[in-house]
Every structure is written in structure tokens, then in C-alpha cells.
Amino acid sequence: MRQRAAVLCGAAVIAAGSVTAVPAEANAPHSAGTAAAAPAAKLQWKKCATEDYPTLQCASLEVPLDHARPRGRQITLALSRVPHTAATYQGPLLVNPGGPGGSGLTLAGFVASSLPEKVAAQYDVIGFDPRGVGKSSPALNCRPGHFDPVRPDSLPDTPDVERANLARAEAFAEACGDKYADVLPYIDTVSAARDVDAIRAALGAERINYFGYSYGTYLGAVYAKLYPARVRRLVLDSVVGPDDVWYDANLNQDLAFNDRHRAFLAWIAEHDAAYGMGTDPERIERQWYAMRTALAKEPAGGRVGASELEDTFIPGGYYNGYWPYLAEAFAAYVKSGDTDPLVEVYENFGALDASGENGYSVYTAVQCRDAAWPRDWDEWRDDNWDLYEKAPFMVWNNVWYNAPCASWPTSARQPVDVANGELPPALLFQATGDAATPYEGAVTAHRLLRGSALVVEEGGGNHGITLSGNSCLDEHLAAYLTDGTVPRGAGEADAGEADAVCAALPQPEPLESKAASASARGSTLHGLLGFRR
């Protein structure tokens, strides 16, 4: 997701605190009854506590820009840690929020505080900003202001509008090439996976435990392919389909997001008493597109045009905890022409700050480098007009989000075949209605990762489902992190696919309801997850 909603999630920002150093050796991984393993590099951990995460520590690690030239230019990764406190120590648990482009520093604190205390106490929970991201250096920001409002309408229904959007995409690619020509060839998933192994070595661990959300599932699967003997436990939540990286993955997303948007509109219809929009979802859908048409002509508050409206409502496809806020703004505009709530939700959900610009820059750099994208614009045009006829909600917004890949200044790598029969059992989590990483991708990954177990949230549509208030899912996660237990039984979500099935959480309630408010953990998590994936 490309913008966090700070008013909802209250995500903590890591700030430098006391500079008291804690040597890495103090908590180096070791087995009971054996000497601590000597770390390959010394990490100087410093306190960087926040109000929410008072035991958080931070460090930095130099890694090669090009891992094929280990003595060449070095770059810096920013790390965070919540140290283990139990006598039983199971090693480092590396966490990643996805993106690509998402910062993982605060996620370490969230995961450590959200797991059962006795489970978290057995791990050093390690967060990190991947290369190019956040507090790592260099941090990419290819074209500041690229998403400033008001952008051209995403729908290219005239040649002029298409040219304007294409010019923006080409300008972004050119700016990236001008500013980061020496870095872009090394901003990719394989390089990030090799960084993960450098973190492992610096921690002095023979093997790591890994917990990734969204794109973080693909990073974890690639790491496991490159270093299968160095994986102890592997948790993948909201799983990227490994067979359609990345052009086809975005086409598949468009279909799924259209379904999810319609689920949101149907939810509004179910709550007519709160929103007064009627009980017919199709009529409400027509009102939404009429609002879009009107904003294309006269942006709300001079800031929310058609493209910005899409930016604002796309996060609702990731997390239904945002639905009550989006519905109120939608109803206020349609019923009374009040634009203030619409501008407010845009600022909360759609607008990008410098952190968002950095995330988008890394997202684009990784996606464009990981795999080949069509260079012929006619192919993009034909594919997406065909798709638009079936799923209009996000298609063209997503096209322009990814269009820099049509003129990206570096060559593309070959996608990694993540099929793996050398791992300990991995544990996968997936909601059946997830739009960002559709369900079929998790089924594919489950098949390719031999011995893995798939836990399905039946009827759920959120992206990122563990540690969000669903106790059934979290019990499977806790059991696995405690002793490696995975479920081994045919679930009800398509026989032979799921090893366990959990019911989805109830849908949200309107804000005026006493039952309103998403779970605190759910809203915090979805403020931390990465961009687009």
C-alpha cells in the first residue's frame, strides 16, 4: 500500500535515543549447552526506543553494492532489534513488511509486541530497511513531487491524456537513471536476499527465522532458494504468486481489486441507515463513478482529482478497517457536495510524503529490474483496455504506477524459480479475497515449497492477516514459532489446497456504531505494511 494512515495506525517513528552501545556478541545465537557462535561482523546496537516499543535497538551494517564484488563499493543497511529475554533462545527472526520499498524498522517492535510474550521472548526480532529504503543509505527518491496533485486523469480516453501520463512515467524513469545510474542495477530482489544473508552473518547465526508480509513473502522465498540450508523457519503472510512476476501480477491485481471495491460498495448498501446511499450496490457504484467524473472536471479542494480519488480508495482494497472513513467521505460528497471529508481521507490514505516517494522509487526500481516488462507501449495499451472493460476501478491507475518499467534505464533480470524441496516446513497464510496478492498465488507457492502448510482465512479480504486480531490464525503462527508445528489436514477451502481454515473477522461497522473501530493491532499493522504489495 503506497500510503500509511497515521491517524489510524499511530505507527511509531524510530528516533535516535541514547547512544549506549550493546555489542552483538551479547546476544549472539547459540544452542543450549554450547558456546556462542562468533559473529562475522560486529553490530553496535544503540537504544532507539519509542513510546510504543521501549526496548527497540538500532544498528547499521555495510554490505557490498554488488555482491559479486564484495570488496567494491559498500552501502549501508539500517537494522532494528527487540532482543530476546528468555533462557530458551531460538535465534533471530527477521521481519519484512513488503513493498518493495517498505521500511521494516518499526515492524520489529510491532511483531515483538504482538506475538505472545513467551514466544517473542525466545527470538531476537530483527527489522531492516532494505537497500535503497528509509534510513538505509543511499535512500532513493527519483523525482520528488511526482505524485503531487492534481495529476492528469488516469483514464486515457483521449490521445492528449495518454501522452500526458506517458510523459510523466518516462520522466520518472529518466530521473531515476540520471540520479542513480550506478545504483539501479543492484536494486532488486536477489540483491536484497543477499543482504539478508549478510545480516544473518553479522548476527552470527548459522540459520535465520524469517517472517514476511506481501512482497516480503517473495523476498523470503528467493532467500530460501538461494540459501536453503540457512533457513530455520519461514512464515509467509499474503503470498505473492511466484509465477507471474511482475507484469502479469499487476494485471491479476486489477481484477481482484475491482472485486474488492465492489465488496466495499456492497457494504455501504448494507449500512444504508448510516450512509443514506440506498440499498442497491449497483446504484452506489454508479454514484462512485459519477463522483470520479465530476472530480476529473473540478478537483475537490483543488487537490483531489480523479487520479487522487483512486489513490484514496485503493487502500480500502487492502484493509476493510478503512471502509467507514471512506464511506463517510463518499456519502458527504454525493449527498451534500461537501468536499472537506474527501480531502481529509485523501491526505490520510492517498497523499505521498517524502517517505512515500522513497518507497515508490524503490518499488519501481525493484519491479523493473526483477523481470522483463513490455517495452512496446501498444502491448500495454491493448492489454489494459481489454482489462478495463472487465474491471475499471484500478486498471489505469495501476498502469501509470508501473509504466516507468516500459522505459526503465536498466536491463531486466530473469525471475527466480522459487520451487524448493530443501526447506524445513514453511507456514503460509492467505485470505481468500485478498486483492493485492490473490489467493491463487498462495496456492502456487504452497505447491512449489515442498512440505509447506497453508492456513486460509475463509471469506477474508484483507492483505496482511496475522497479528491483526484473528486468534485462529495467530494460534497457528505461535505454535509454529514455538516448536515448528504446522497443520497437516485438508481444509475446506478447496480440498487439497488448505491445511487449515480459519473464519474471517467480522466486517467493520460504521463509525457511529458502538461496535465501530478496527482492532488496534489490525490498524497498526496495515499502517506498517509496504507499498502496493
Side-chain angles (χ1 to χ4, degrees):
M1 185 174 61
R2 50 186 146 166
Q3 174 65 14
R4 287 84 160 157
V7 296
L8 293 179
C9 72
V13 176
I14 291 182
S18 166
V19 294
T20 303
V22 183
E25 295 94 328
N27 288 308
H30 59 275
S31 301
T34 65
K42 291 185 178 181
L43 293 173
Q44 294 297 313
W45 294 102
K46 301 177 181 180
K47 296 179 180 178
C48 57
T50 69
E51 182 177 351
D52 291 329
Y53 310 120
T55 62
L56 202 63
Q57 302 171 350
C58 295
S60 61
L61 174 67
E62 287 194 346
V63 298
L65 173 65
D66 179 0
H67 283 278
R69 299 176 62 245
R71 298 186 183 278
R73 177 181 171 184
Q74 304 293 297
I75 60 175
T76 303
L77 303 180
L79 312 181
S80 64
R81 176 177 75 167
V82 176
H84 76 283
T85 56
T88 300
Y89 178 46
Q90 299 206 49
L93 173 64
L94 274 67
V95 298
N96 180 272
S103 168
L105 298 181
T106 304
L107 184 66
F110 171 81
V111 169
S113 64
S114 299
L115 287 169
E117 185 176 355
K118 65 180 181 180
V119 176
Q122 298 179 35
Y123 291 91
D124 287 345
V125 183
I126 307 293
F128 61 101
D129 279 355
R131 55 176 53 206
V133 176
K135 293 185 179 296
S136 292
S137 179
L140 276 58
N141 190 341
C142 293
R143 190 171 183 248
H146 183 71
F147 284 96
D148 285 354
V150 172
R151 308 197 307 276
D153 189 341
S154 65
L155 183 64
D157 54 0
T158 69
D160 286 345
V161 174
E162 182 181 65
R163 281 192 291 268
N165 279 296
L166 193 54
R168 285 186 67 254
E170 291 171 345
F172 186 87
E174 183 178 1
C176 281
D178 289 346
K179 292 178 73 171
Y180 303 113
D182 55 340
V183 173
L184 290 184
Y186 310 102
I187 306 294
D188 58 81
T189 300
V190 169
S191 296
R194 298 200 187 282
D195 290 345
V196 168
D197 201 58
I199 295 171
R200 176 203 60 77
L203 293 169
E206 293 183 6
R207 296 186 296 165
I208 64 166
N209 309 281
Y210 180 91
F211 181 5
Y213 289 95
S214 192
Y215 162 80
T217 67
Y218 183 65
L219 175 59
V222 170
Y223 177 81
K225 181 69 173 187
L226 297 178
Y227 306 103
R230 296 175 185 174
V231 176
R232 181 174 181 270
R233 291 189 183 135
L234 180 66
V235 181
L236 309 180
D237 182 330
S238 303
V239 185
V240 167
D243 283 356
D244 56 6
V245 175
W246 291 111
Y247 180 74
D248 289 342
N250 280 276
L251 298 177
N252 294 336
Q253 271 192 331
D254 293 338
L255 290 165
F257 268 96
N258 200 74
D259 290 343
R260 194 68 181 144
H261 183 60
R262 285 177 169 165
F264 162 62
L265 300 175
W267 178 84
I268 293 176
E270 292 172 3
H271 294 283
D272 181 51
Y275 302 115
M277 301 283 287
T279 59
D280 180 0
E282 292 185 1
R283 179 176 179 271
I284 295 173
E285 184 174 21
R286 290 193 295 272
Q287 290 176 310
W288 194 90
Y289 283 101
M291 174 175 66
R292 187 196 183 286
T293 299
L295 292 172
K297 298 176 181 177
E298 186 176 349
R303 290 182 62 75
V304 185
S307 294
E308 290 74 26
L309 180 75
E310 292 164 343
D311 296 345
T312 302
F313 279 76
I314 285 171
Y318 287 85
Y319 177 50
N320 63 9
Y322 301 148
W323 287 4
Y325 302 88
L326 297 172
E328 286 204 343
F330 176 22
Y333 182 86
V334 170
K335 292 165 60 179
S336 64
D338 186 357
T339 61
D340 288 345
L342 205 55
V343 173
E344 182 178 358
V345 291
Y346 164 69
E347 297 293 346
N348 290 336
F349 300 140
L352 287 192
D353 56 12
S355 174
E357 292 177 339
N358 165 240
Y360 176 67
S361 296
V362 176
Y363 167 93
T364 311
V366 171
Q367 295 251 317
C368 299
R369 174 71 171 136
D370 265 3
W373 292 69
R375 293 282 176 159
D376 181 356
W377 185 251
D378 289 342
E379 184 175 347
W380 290 68
R381 182 190 294 115
D382 291 345
D383 287 346
N384 286 282
W385 273 123
D386 287 346
L387 194 57
Y388 179 81
E389 296 301 317
K390 307 171 190 174
F393 170 61
M394 195 176 83
V395 168
W396 284 105
N397 187 289
N398 207 22
V399 167
W400 304 122
Y401 200 81
N402 292 285
C405 292
S407 56
W408 198 246
T410 67
S411 60
R413 304 183 67 127
Q414 289 295 318
V416 177
D417 176 4
V418 303
N420 204 325
E422 302 179 50
L423 296 175
L427 184 58
L428 282 56
F429 292 91
Q430 185 68 36
T432 54
D434 184 354
T437 53
Y439 177 74
E440 293 76 15
V443 174
T444 299
H446 179 31
R447 186 184 74 247
L448 293 176
L449 300 177
R450 194 173 70 194
S452 64
L454 174 62
V455 179
V456 171
E457 187 181 51
E458 181 70 46
N462 288 339
H463 181 65
I465 55 176
T466 57
L467 305 183
S468 297
N470 189 320
S471 60
C472 175
L473 299 172
D474 292 349
E475 286 169 5
H476 286 293
L477 175 63
Y480 179 68
L481 292 178
T482 297
D483 58 17
T485 298
V486 295
R488 291 298 186 200
E492 297 177 4
D494 295 328
E497 293 178 357
D499 294 286
V501 176
C502 295
L505 294 173
Q507 297 276 41
E509 295 291 333
L511 295 177
E512 63 185 25
S513 167
K514 292 182 180 179
S517 83
S519 75
R521 285 196 301 168
S523 56
T524 300
L525 173 65
H526 291 87
L528 296 173
L529 294 190
F531 291 69
R532 281 285 172 170
R533 281 192 171 74

